[in-house]
Amino acid sequence: MTEPYVKGYQLIELIGHGAGSEVYKARHMRSGDILAVKIVRRGSPHSARLFRQIANEFKVAHKWTHPNLVRLHELVTDRLLLWKFQVALAMEYVPGEPLADGGRLTAAQIADYYAQLADAMNYMHHRGYIHLDMKPQNVLITPEGQAKIVDFGLCTRKGRYNPRVQGTPDFMAPEQLHQGWVDERTDVFNLGATMYHIVTGKSVQMTVTRRLENAHAVPVVSETFQSMNVEVPPELESLILQSCRAAPAERPLTMQRVIERLESIRGRTKTPQMG
């Protein structure tokens, strides 16, 4: 494999990788700014799909400005050889750890991250898009406690028919699995499933194998947090479990409704200040 190269950038160090992509900490040669650069190269088994996703990511989100959404800077296409090329997405560099690696969190932290992410997704919804792939791995937490959504590859127009199964199985809503109508309530489920995992360490979904064998299988949360020896305020548990209902009509109807309930919950979970 050739050494990684992106025109206009000095690649400093590898900071992440996935199926067919790599993410580098990089310096923009002209401005000196430190950014993150995600590279997708043709030739991997997933390259065609990843090319579509990274192009969609930039097209949809490059003008968004929200404190809890990573800023996208530019899309760079480089031809490495006559028969080989790559696409790179330059974005804001976020020092921090994935939400999935945060360890045990307090109820106040859970409610705070939940509210930050809900506000970011509400911003997206007001601009006509839904995320469709919210999961702990797509969120970075800075040392200051700011949550940042860092991937928009599956974003699509809200209120449309979903023509193919897309998303991450453990966090997908039933309408994603069964190629149904997707809207704000789909993101409400994805975010609720993310917080369920953060609180309990478990998935709201059945196993992938079982769901593929049974076309009518839907996620059912059969255990309360108390039965799993997890202590969170009842109002927070109620919001998470309602957000993970199989039927969209039984979930909060919009992300704004989620935010309003979280505002009340956060007011009761703040850590007391020492006087």
Side-chain angles (χ1 to χ4, degrees), residues 7-41:
K7 184 178 180 180
Y9 291 86
Q10 176 192 0
L11 303 183
I12 299 172
E13 62 176 321
L14 179 68
I15 57 175
H17 59 85
S21 66
E22 298 172 338
V23 181
Y24 288 85
K25 182 179 180 180
R27 178 179 290 105
H28 188 261
M29 300 293 285
R30 189 167 57 186
S31 69
D33 292 341
I34 299 297
L35 301 171
V37 176
K38 178 162 62 176
I39 302 173
V40 177
R41 298 183 184 182

Side-chain angles (χ1 to χ4, degrees), residues 23-259:
V23 181
Y24 288 85
K25 182 179 180 180
R27 178 179 290 105
H28 188 261
M29 300 293 285
R30 189 167 57 186
S31 69
D33 292 341
I34 299 297
L35 301 171
V37 176
K38 178 162 62 176
I39 302 173
V40 177
R41 298 183 184 182
R42 181 174 293 282
S44 78
H46 308 284
S47 60
R49 173 176 57 83
L50 291 173
F51 281 164
R52 289 194 301 270
Q53 288 184 4
I54 203 169
N56 179 68
E57 192 167 0
F58 184 74
K59 177 183 176 182
V60 167
H62 74 280
K63 292 184 179 180
W64 289 350
T65 56
H66 187 281
N68 301 111
L69 299 176
V70 71
R71 290 291 308 274
L72 305 185
H73 287 258
E74 67 171 330
L75 196 63
V76 181
T77 301
D78 287 323
R79 184 173 293 279
L80 304 179
L81 298 169
L82 290 177
W83 53 272
K84 188 174 183 179
F85 67 93
Q86 69 181 17
V87 176
L89 178 61
M91 66 187 80
E92 174 188 1
Y93 172 69
V94 180
E97 297 293 331
L99 179 58
D101 297 340
R104 191 171 182 85
L105 302 174
T106 66
Q109 288 175 310
I110 293 165
D112 183 46
Y113 295 153
Y114 201 167
Q116 290 186 53
L117 296 172
D119 192 65
M121 298 180 85
N122 195 44
Y123 174 95
M124 295 167 57
H125 295 170
H126 280 292
R127 280 149 186 80
Y129 287 91
I130 50 178
H131 188 274
L132 291 184
D133 197 25
M134 175 53 59
K135 57 185 177 182
Q137 294 82 358
N138 280 344
V139 178
L140 290 179
I141 305 297
T142 71
E144 296 76 29
Q146 186 178 41
K148 289 266 193 180
I149 300 174
V150 297
D151 190 288
F152 312 105
L154 296 187
C155 280
T156 190
R157 283 284 181 185
K158 66 180 182 179
R160 52 160 286 185
Y161 174 73
N162 189 36
R164 58 186 181 275
V165 176
Q166 294 185 100
T168 302
D170 281 347
F171 304 95
M172 285 168 60
E175 59 268 26
Q176 290 174 277
L177 179 65
H178 301 303
Q179 299 166 272
W181 191 265
V182 292
D183 58 21
E184 293 100 320
R185 296 168 298 179
T186 308
D187 273 351
V188 167
F189 183 102
N190 296 160
L191 182 55
T194 295
M195 302 317 297
Y196 183 94
H197 177 80
I198 293 303
V199 171
T200 68
K202 298 183 178 182
S203 166
V204 300
Q205 297 280 21
M206 301 178 188
T207 64
V208 174
T209 302
R210 185 176 174 191
R211 286 189 292 113
L212 291 177
E213 289 174 350
N214 181 1
H216 300 291
V218 294
V220 176
V221 180
S222 58
E223 295 180 282
T224 64
F225 289 1
Q226 185 176 12
S227 70
M228 292 183 281
N229 296 316
V230 176
E231 294 185 9
V232 297
E235 300 89 348
L236 182 57
E237 176 179 2
S238 175
L239 175 59
I240 293 172
L241 296 184
Q242 184 187 355
S243 296
C244 295
R245 296 276 179 86
E250 296 179 0
R251 304 171 202 155
L253 296 180
T254 65
M255 200 62 76
Q256 183 60 41
R257 297 277 185 90
V258 173
I259 292 169

